Amino acid sequence: RFLLCMNIKDGKSRLNSGINNTVDMKPSEPSSADSSSRQDKATHGAADMTRRMVCGGLAGMIAKTATNPLDRIRMLSQTGEHGIVGSSTNKRITPLQLYKSILQNEGILGLWAGNGANLLRVFPAKSIVFSSNDFYRGVAHNLYFGSDDG
Protein backbone atom coordinates (compact mmCIF):
# COMPACT_ATOMS: atom_id res chain seq x y z
CA ARG A 1 0.00 0.00 0.00
CA PHE A 2 1.13 3.54 -0.64
CA LEU A 3 1.91 5.76 2.36
CA LEU A 4 2.21 9.51 2.59
CA CYS A 5 2.92 10.63 6.14
CA MET A 6 4.90 12.96 8.34
CA ASN A 7 8.04 11.62 9.98
CA ILE A 8 7.85 12.75 13.61
CA LYS A 9 10.37 10.40 15.17
CA ASP A 10 13.38 12.68 14.88
CA GLY A 11 11.48 15.89 15.57
CA LYS A 12 11.79 17.13 11.99
CA SER A 13 8.86 17.63 9.69
CA ARG A 14 9.74 15.73 6.57
CA LEU A 15 7.31 14.41 4.04
CA ASN A 16 7.95 10.75 3.34
CA SER A 17 6.35 8.81 0.56
CA GLY A 18 6.99 5.32 -0.58
CA ILE A 19 5.65 1.84 -0.82
CA ASN A 20 5.19 -0.08 2.38
CA ASN A 21 5.96 -3.71 1.71
CA THR A 22 4.79 -5.94 4.49
CA VAL A 23 5.67 -9.59 4.75
CA ASP A 24 3.90 -11.86 7.17
CA MET A 25 6.46 -13.79 9.17
CA LYS A 26 6.07 -16.08 12.12
CA PRO A 27 6.97 -14.30 15.32
CA SER A 28 10.24 -15.60 16.68
CA GLU A 29 11.20 -15.88 20.28
CA PRO A 30 12.69 -12.68 21.68
CA SER A 31 16.44 -12.82 21.96
CA SER A 32 18.63 -10.95 24.41
CA ALA A 33 19.41 -8.46 21.64
CA ASP A 34 15.69 -7.70 21.34
CA SER A 35 15.34 -7.02 25.08
CA SER A 36 18.40 -4.75 25.11
CA SER A 37 16.99 -2.98 22.05
CA ARG A 38 13.72 -2.43 23.93
CA GLN A 39 15.64 -1.04 26.90
CA ASP A 40 17.55 1.32 24.60
CA LYS A 41 14.26 2.49 23.07
CA ALA A 42 12.75 3.04 26.52
CA THR A 43 15.81 4.99 27.68
CA HIS A 44 15.82 7.02 24.48
CA GLY A 45 12.08 7.64 24.84
CA ALA A 46 12.47 8.93 28.40
CA ALA A 47 15.37 11.16 27.42
CA ASP A 48 13.43 12.42 24.41
CA MET A 49 10.38 13.21 26.57
CA THR A 50 12.58 15.05 29.09
CA ARG A 51 14.21 17.04 26.29
CA ARG A 52 10.80 17.96 24.89
CA MET A 53 9.57 19.04 28.33
CA VAL A 54 12.59 21.28 28.92
CA CYS A 55 12.35 22.78 25.43
CA GLY A 56 8.62 23.39 25.81
CA GLY A 57 9.07 25.01 29.20
CA LEU A 58 11.86 27.27 27.95
CA ALA A 59 9.86 28.25 24.88
CA GLY A 60 6.92 29.17 27.10
CA MET A 61 9.16 31.24 29.36
CA ILE A 62 10.65 33.13 26.42
CA ALA A 63 7.21 33.83 24.97
CA LYS A 64 5.85 35.03 28.31
CA THR A 65 8.86 37.27 28.91
CA ALA A 66 8.51 38.80 25.45
CA THR A 67 4.83 39.58 25.94
CA ASN A 68 4.96 40.58 29.62
CA PRO A 69 4.97 44.37 28.96
CA LEU A 70 1.66 44.06 27.10
CA ASP A 71 0.26 41.85 29.86
CA ARG A 72 1.36 44.34 32.52
CA ILE A 73 -0.34 47.23 30.70
CA ARG A 74 -3.50 45.13 30.31
CA MET A 75 -3.57 44.25 34.01
CA LEU A 76 -3.02 47.84 35.12
CA SER A 77 -5.79 49.12 32.86
CA GLN A 78 -8.22 46.46 34.14
CA THR A 79 -7.51 46.97 37.82
CA GLY A 80 -7.27 50.76 37.67
CA GLU A 81 -4.15 50.74 39.88
CA HIS A 82 -2.07 52.59 37.34
CA GLY A 83 -1.32 55.55 39.63
CA ILE A 84 -1.71 58.25 37.02
CA VAL A 85 -2.39 61.52 38.92
CA GLY A 86 -5.32 63.61 37.78
CA SER A 87 -7.20 60.84 36.03
CA SER A 88 -10.84 60.75 36.95
CA THR A 89 -12.98 57.63 36.89
CA ASN A 90 -14.83 58.84 33.79
CA LYS A 91 -11.69 59.43 31.74
CA ARG A 92 -10.16 56.37 30.11
CA ILE A 93 -6.41 55.93 30.18
CA THR A 94 -4.90 54.79 26.89
CA PRO A 95 -2.32 52.00 26.73
CA LEU A 96 0.26 54.50 25.50
CA GLN A 97 -0.33 56.69 28.58
CA LEU A 98 0.06 53.63 30.81
CA TYR A 99 3.27 52.69 29.01
CA LYS A 100 4.71 56.18 29.52
CA SER A 101 3.60 56.20 33.16
CA ILE A 102 5.34 52.88 33.87
CA LEU A 103 8.54 54.11 32.22
CA GLN A 104 8.47 57.38 34.22
CA ASN A 105 7.65 55.86 37.60
CA GLU A 106 9.39 52.48 37.52
CA GLY A 107 11.85 52.59 34.65
CA ILE A 108 12.21 50.08 31.84
CA LEU A 109 12.28 47.10 34.24
CA GLY A 110 8.83 48.10 35.47
CA LEU A 111 7.41 46.62 32.29
CA TRP A 112 8.57 43.20 33.50
CA ALA A 113 7.38 43.56 37.10
CA GLY A 114 5.88 40.28 38.27
CA ASN A 115 7.46 38.29 35.46
CA GLY A 116 9.25 35.90 37.83
CA ALA A 117 6.00 34.61 39.30
CA ASN A 118 4.58 34.19 35.80
CA LEU A 119 7.61 32.17 34.74
CA LEU A 120 7.22 29.80 37.68
CA ARG A 121 3.64 29.21 36.56
CA VAL A 122 4.36 28.98 32.83
CA PHE A 123 7.29 26.53 32.79
CA PRO A 124 5.49 23.42 34.08
CA ALA A 125 2.29 24.16 32.15
CA LYS A 126 3.98 24.69 28.78
CA SER A 127 6.38 21.79 29.25
CA ILE A 128 3.50 19.38 29.79
CA VAL A 129 1.51 20.81 26.87
CA PHE A 130 4.47 20.66 24.49
CA SER A 131 5.54 17.12 25.37
CA SER A 132 1.97 15.78 25.48
CA ASN A 133 1.25 17.21 22.05
CA ASP A 134 4.19 15.35 20.51
CA PHE A 135 3.43 12.15 22.43
CA TYR A 136 -0.22 12.01 21.39
CA ARG A 137 0.62 12.98 17.83
CA GLY A 138 2.89 9.90 17.75
CA VAL A 139 0.16 7.74 19.26
CA ALA A 140 -2.35 8.95 16.68
CA HIS A 141 0.18 8.32 13.92
CA ASN A 142 0.72 4.75 15.11
CA LEU A 143 -3.01 4.13 15.36
CA TYR A 144 -3.70 5.46 11.89
CA PHE A 145 -0.69 4.15 9.97
CA GLY A 146 0.29 1.21 12.12
CA SER A 147 3.21 0.71 14.43
CA ASP A 148 6.77 1.27 13.22
CA ASP A 149 8.12 -1.49 15.50
CA GLY A 150 8.71 -3.96 12.81
Side-chain angles (χ1 to χ4, degrees), residues 74-89:
R74 179 189 57 85
M75 285 179 50
L76 288 176
S77 68
Q78 287 177 347
T79 60
E81 297 178 11
H82 40 72
I84 295 179
V85 179
S87 65
S88 65
T89 56

Side-chain angles (χ1 to χ4, degrees), residues 46-121:
D48 191 43
M49 180 66 81
T50 303
R51 181 184 59 83
R52 289 179 193 275
M53 290 183 83
V54 169
C55 289
L58 290 176
M61 290 173 70
I62 291 168
K64 193 61 165 171
T65 300
T67 60
N68 196 65
L70 298 173
D71 195 41
R72 171 114 162 120
I73 290 170
R74 179 189 57 85
M75 285 179 50
L76 288 176
S77 68
Q78 287 177 347
T79 60
E81 297 178 11
H82 40 72
I84 295 179
V85 179
S87 65
S88 65
T89 56
N90 296 340
K91 185 179 175 188
R92 296 211 34 110
I93 306 298
T94 65
L96 185 59
Q97 288 173 327
L98 280 172
Y99 177 77
K100 288 178 182 178
S101 172
I102 292 170
L103 289 179
Q104 275 182 341
N105 298 332
E106 302 174 38
I108 191 80
L109 292 179
L111 294 171
W112 283 274
N115 193 42
N118 276 336
L119 296 182
L120 290 175
R121 177 182 58 86

